[in-house]
Amino acid sequence: EVGANTSSINRFVALQRQGLEATAALQAIEVLPGVARFVSDTLQLALNAPIHCVAATFLHGREHVIPGMFERILQSDEFIHRQAPTLCAYLKRHIELDTQDHGPAAEQLLERLANADPAYPQQANDAALAAVEGRIALWDEVRASLQEVHP
C-alpha cells in the first residue's frame, strides 16, 4: 500500500526457510547495520537470556512503546488513511491488543518472574533499559539514513 521495497525481508525469510541461521541471513541481505544489530540482539536475547530479562525486554521495549509509535503514525497525516487502509487497520488492531491484552499480561508475567529472586528485579530493569536504548539507536540510524536520501 505504501510502496515499500520488501525485497530484503523476503530474501531474509527465504534464506531462513532454506535453513540459514538468522544472523547469517541478516548478513546476506542489504539492511542498515543498525537494523541487523537490532534484530540480531533481539534474537540472541530471546534465545539465550534468563526468562525474566526476556519478559522485561519485551514489555518495556515493545508492548509499552509500540502503541505510542503506531498512534503517532496514525495521527501524522490523513494521507496514510487514504493510501494504506489495510496498514491503518493493522496498526489500530496492534494498538488495541497491546494496550488491552498483551501489555497487561506482560506486566503480570514480569511481576511474577521478577519476584522469584531478589536479584531479578535489577536484572530485569537493566535488560529493559538496554532494550529501550537499542530501539532508540535503531530509530536514530533509520532517521539518519532517511535524511541522507531525502535531505
Side-chain angles (χ1 to χ4, degrees), residues 43-121:
L43 290 171
Q44 289 303 313
L45 178 113
L47 297 172
N48 300 311
I51 191 68
H52 60 284
C53 293
V54 174
T57 296
F58 280 82
L59 171 63
H60 296 291
R62 296 182 190 288
E63 303 301 336
H64 277 179
V65 296
I66 289 176
M69 290 171 28
F70 287 177
E71 282 286 348
R72 282 191 180 145
I73 292 169
L74 290 171
Q75 295 170 359
S76 66
D77 193 342
E78 192 59 36
F79 171 78
I80 194 168
H81 295 276
R82 291 188 311 274
Q83 179 71 23
T86 304
L87 174 62
C88 288
Y90 167 81
L91 296 177
K92 288 175 185 176
R93 180 68 174 141
H94 204 294
I95 292 165
E96 179 183 319
L97 287 174
D98 280 355
T99 56
Q100 295 177 8
D101 295 326
H102 297 167
E107 286 177 9
Q108 291 174 355
L109 175 64
L110 178 57
E111 185 177 331
R112 286 185 188 167
L113 293 170
N115 286 333
D117 184 288
Y120 287 3

